[in-house]
Amino acid sequence: MLAAAILVACSGDEAAERTPAEAMNAASLAVLSAPSFSFQVSYVGDPVEVQAGLALDRVDGVFEAPTKSSADVRVKTLGLTAILEVVTEGDRLWQKVPFAEDFEEVEGGDLITGTDIFSEDGLGALLREDVTELAFGEEAELEEFPGETFQTVTGIVSGQRLNTLTLGYLQGTAADVKFYLAGDEVRRIVIDESDVELPRSWTIDLWAYGQPVDIVIP
């Protein structure tokens, strides 16, 4: 009886464990099923020039399913920081340039927005389909998320969705990637460009899954 009990207990432990691919599938479902979350996209490395004299700093925003997003695109010029505000709903995009009073709708804009990143064909699909050589890493803590311990998954990522995730500024065609998971929720993605002379490191943070957001369409 004791041997049988031990066998059952061990079998239960094995069933409770999941593979890195299963962890990524669960994270994909969590992103796609979340009614909302907050996000930030930032990078370290050579400045990304978005326009002549304007360097990208970071993007802070919120996403509301299925297709709404609002983001502050922070840019630097001459030592100063300015903010381009962007709101999207479906295929429509509005922006308010620094120092303007009102939003203007942009037709055929090439800005990559929260709607693009978190659409069904965006991050959710990348987590399921675009990452190879998956492996569990060591547990980790992050200063930005105090009191939480994260399971990490590493791999190599490539494809067009990777370009979308880095706002269209990815150098090269593939990158090393590390995911920080809290249960099924992916809280941080670190993308390290690997096949270029001066690689950048990109960080995408996600938090406040399901928390109320207030996105006002202009």
Side-chain angles (χ1 to χ4, degrees):
M1 290 180 61
L2 179 59
I6 293 173
L7 179 61
V8 169
C10 291
S11 298
D13 288 344
E14 290 177 1
E17 294 179 356
R18 58 182 179 177
T19 65
E22 290 170 338
M24 288 294 95
N25 285 334
S28 172
L29 289 173
V31 167
L32 294 177
S33 63
S36 62
F37 43 74
S38 298
F39 66 90
Q40 182 182 95
V41 181
S42 59
Y43 71 98
V44 175
D46 277 2
V48 172
E49 189 172 69
V50 294
Q51 292 182 16
L54 291 179
L56 178 68
D57 182 17
R58 70 171 193 262
V59 179
D60 299 286
V62 292
F63 175 78
E64 182 180 0
T67 61
K68 287 184 180 181
S69 74
S70 176
D72 289 342
V73 181
R74 298 167 58 94
V75 294
K76 291 183 176 181
T77 179
L78 301 176
L80 302 175
T81 299
I83 295 177
L84 169 67
E85 298 179 55
V86 179
V87 175
T88 63
E89 183 178 33
D91 294 331
R92 302 180 69 186
L93 181 150
W94 298 262
Q95 68 179 23
K96 183 164 69 172
V97 299
F99 313 115
E101 294 184 1
D102 300 310
F103 281 90
E104 291 187 1
E105 187 165 3
V106 178
E107 299 291 341
D110 57 1
L111 281 174
I112 291 175
T113 68
T115 299
D116 300 311
I117 295 172
F118 303 116
S119 68
E120 187 172 349
D121 193 42
L123 176 58
L126 180 144
L127 293 169
R128 291 192 314 271
E129 302 172 15
D130 296 348
V131 187
T132 58
E133 300 186 28
L134 287 166
F136 284 125
E138 296 182 355
E139 290 189 344
E141 296 181 352
L142 296 171
E143 182 179 351
E144 293 81 1
F145 302 102
E148 294 189 84
T149 300
F150 298 91
Q151 181 182 57
T152 62
V153 179
T154 60
I156 297 174
V157 62
S158 60
Q160 181 58 38
R161 283 180 283 259
L162 173 59
N163 191 56
T164 300
L165 225 62
T166 55
L167 308 174
Y169 296 111
L170 178 80
Q171 302 176 109
T173 58
D176 298 323
V177 63
K178 187 173 187 178
F179 302 94
Y180 293 76
L181 305 178
D184 291 342
E185 295 180 357
V186 57
R187 296 290 183 82
R188 172 167 288 182
I189 305 167
V190 177
I191 299 169
D192 292 321
E193 299 170 347
S194 57
D195 57 352
V196 295
E197 184 175 350
L198 296 173
R200 299 186 183 105
S201 179
W202 296 85
T203 299
I204 297 97
D205 282 343
L206 305 175
W207 69 97
Y209 281 66
Q211 296 299 310
V213 298
D214 183 19
I215 298 176
V216 178
I217 302 300

